[in-house]
Amino acid sequence: MKKILVTGGAGFIGSHLVRLLVKKYPDTLFVNLDKLTYAGNLANLTDIESLPNYEFVKGDIVDEDFIMATFDAYRFDGVIHLAAESHVDRSIASPKEFIMTNIVGTVNLLNAARLYWKDNYDGKRFYHVSTDEVYGSLGDEGKFLETTPYDPRSPYSASKASSDHLVRAYHHTYGLPVVISNCSNNYGPNQFPEKLIPLIINNIRHSKPLPVYGQGTNVRDWLYVEDHAKAIDLIYQKGTDGETYNIGGNNERQNIDIVKTLCRIIDLQLGRPVGESEKLITYVKDRAGHDLRYAIDATKVFETLGWQPEVQFNDGFEKTVAWYLSNEQWLDEVTSGNYLKYYEKMYHDR
Ligand code: NAD
Ligand code: TYD
């Protein structure tokens, strides 16, 4: 049986990907290796946990001996690497964790793959799931291409840029078969409510202020998470070794429009008077070094592999809001305890 290691499979994107892969490829064993940080949650995977081609292993990619022992035990044919510290604001508050997991952890996985695959790279693949934030910030015009020079500006994006470079270096130096994709902002069910969309949904639910950084005019290109998972599957199966693929939603929105859209949809879904939630919008101090605009040119992945987003923004948004409103227990569980401390630290007096 083919064995594929997925790291970070208990997180937001990872859980959607693992669910897709486990159901689509019943003859492949998928091992989900995750540290279960605040962002990892096995409740995201209850529908697949008892399937015979799925296994969960709790562990830290920074622990080199543990990674080597795991490779030794399973002899993986492939790696899809998503485990990361992923939130820009946390990286501004404490960068070190990002260096450890995103850079050192990635190198540990690369070293293990190299060691266990070195006699025969045939059929092997190391896939690094990365972000468009490595390219820096755009002005009003233009889009990121795969050839856009790297210009990361936050500790998070700098750590992801470093790991991208290391993945490419292992390809050029040792011939390791790698692919990388750089994707725009994802949204959908199971996203930890530190990120804009679930944070705003959760605050509207509790009639709490809706913190909009700066003027709310920063632009992000939003993609429904299941479309990202499908792109990763396709690139893993059909992409070319050594190549990079940009993935995006072709769906640019200013933050303030996202927040106002959420207010309207939730007022309608909760039967509140439309306009009620918008009163909660509060402009707060901007994020340090806040990138103005991200936008992806996803022509390459469309022309070479035929991928394009399937979920329209309005449908994806309605589905997303409906999921959070009908999974309030999930939201309540992840927003208790340490989340309250995090929220206080980030937003108190902002
Ligand atoms: P997430 O924060 O929701 O999940 C990260 C997962 O990694 C969690 O399950 C966590 O427990 C695990 N993890 C963290 N540190 C670990 C460690 N040291 N060892 C093992 N597991 C560890 O992140 P996400 O939003 O699902 O992002 C997944 C990947 O996709 C990341 O690499 C991120 O950089 C990339 N990405 C995210 C987005 C986005 O919009 N969220 C966009 C493009 C790329
Ligand atoms: P976020 O979801 O943190 O993703 P990223 O920083 O990786 O793009 O933020 C999306 C945008 O929303 C970003 O421009 C920052 C902004 N934002 C707010 O205005 N308020 C908030 O409380 C958060 C978390 C983000």
Side-chain angles (χ1 to χ4, degrees):
M1 197 183 210
K2 222 169 141 184
K3 293 177 195 157
I4 295 182
L5 172 66
V6 182
T7 70
F12 166 48
I13 300 168
S15 60
H16 286 271
L17 177 69
V18 167
R19 193 175 301 115
L20 180 151
L21 296 175
V22 165
K23 289 181 180 167
K24 185 168 171 186
Y25 304 103
D27 295 333
T28 301
L29 176 69
F30 294 94
V31 177
N32 171 13
L33 187 160
D34 196 298
K35 184 181 174 183
L36 299 182
T37 67
Y38 74 92
N41 189 346
L42 291 178
N44 296 342
L45 292 157
T46 44
D47 56 329
I48 58 154
E49 66 190 2
S50 57
L51 293 181
N53 63 328
Y54 171 74
E55 280 185 35
F56 176 72
V57 175
K58 184 171 189 285
D60 187 345
I61 59 169
V62 178
D63 181 344
E64 190 177 4
D65 292 344
F66 163 74
I67 290 301
M68 285 296 179
T70 308
F71 268 74
D72 198 48
Y74 285 96
R75 308 284 164 149
F76 297 113
D77 299 285
V79 176
I80 307 181
H81 174 36
L82 296 93
E85 288 292 335
S86 68
H87 190 41
V88 173
D89 290 324
R90 287 186 197 254
S91 82
I92 294 167
S94 44
K96 185 86 183 280
E97 201 74 21
F98 287 69
I99 307 309
M100 295 312 292
T101 288
N102 299 1
I103 305 177
V104 177
T106 301
V107 170
N108 286 341
L109 291 165
L110 287 166
N111 283 338
R114 193 183 148 221
L115 181 71
Y116 282 90
W117 297 348
K118 69 178 187 315
D119 295 332
N120 186 4
Y121 282 152
D122 284 353
K124 307 289 196 294
R125 170 151 279 178
F126 188 104
Y127 186 147
H128 187 229
V129 175
S130 192
T131 168
D132 61 353
E133 303 190 25
V134 298
Y135 298 120
S137 180
L138 292 164
D140 292 336
E141 300 290 316
K143 292 190 175 201
F144 298 133
L145 285 160
E146 287 80 358
T147 49
T148 301
Y150 274 31
D151 184 22
R153 294 149 47 102
S154 73
Y156 165 65
S157 54
S159 69
K160 292 296 289 189
S162 306
S163 48
D164 283 359
H165 286 318
L166 284 157
V167 171
R168 281 192 196 99
Y170 274 62
H171 177 67
H172 289 291
T173 310
Y174 308 115
L176 195 75
V178 308
V179 278
I180 298 176
S181 58
N182 297 85
C183 186
S184 65
N185 287 59
N186 286 213
Y187 71 96
N190 308 97
Q191 187 170 29
F192 191 78
E194 63 189 351
K195 305 281 183 353
L196 179 69
I197 289 174
L199 183 145
I200 295 294
I201 295 173
N202 189 48
N203 284 15
I204 295 176
R205 197 167 75 95
H206 292 297
S207 298
K208 279 174 60 175
L210 311 179
V212 174
Y213 298 167
Q215 309 294 308
T217 48
N218 300 65
V219 173
R220 298 291 182 263
D221 169 7
W222 294 95
L223 177 69
Y224 192 64
V225 62
E226 286 178 7
D227 275 332
H228 187 191
K230 285 180 188 168
I232 295 172
D233 173 32
L234 185 65
I235 293 168
Y236 184 83
Q237 300 296 334
K238 301 264 165 66
T240 301
D241 281 342
E243 292 289 319
T244 294
Y245 299 88
N246 279 357
I247 306 170
N250 199 19
N251 181 37
E252 291 178 50
R253 310 274 157 162
Q254 287 195 340
N255 293 337
I256 188 64
D257 294 334
I258 291 285
V259 174
K260 286 186 176 170
T261 305
L262 288 171
C263 288
R264 203 183 56 253
I265 297 178
I266 296 179
D267 283 346
L268 289 170
Q269 291 198 8
L270 291 183
R272 293 180 184 172
V274 173
E276 185 82 4
S277 297
E278 270 199 27
K279 293 182 197 150
L280 299 167
I281 292 175
T282 310
Y283 291 91
V284 300
K285 192 167 144 227
D286 210 350
R287 172 185 281 172
H290 197 173
D291 288 343
L292 177 67
R293 176 173 163 259
Y294 304 141
I296 281 280
D297 183 331
T299 307
K300 176 175 171 180
V301 69
F302 175 65
E303 287 188 347
T304 59
L305 302 176
W307 178 88
Q308 59 185 333
E310 290 170 21
V311 177
Q312 296 300 313
F313 181 68
N314 290 345
D315 296 343
F317 239 54
E318 298 266 350
K319 272 205 277 191
T320 299
V321 170
W323 186 85
Y324 287 99
L325 295 184
S326 56
N327 286 274
E328 293 199 89
Q329 195 187 340
W330 184 95
L331 263 179
D332 288 341
E333 276 168 16
V334 299
T335 53
S336 61
N338 285 337
Y339 181 81
L340 296 174
K341 287 189 205 142
Y342 165 80
Y343 199 89
E344 175 71 11
K345 185 174 151 208
M346 286 291 176
Y347 294 95
H348 178 71
D349 274 349
R350 187 160 186 156

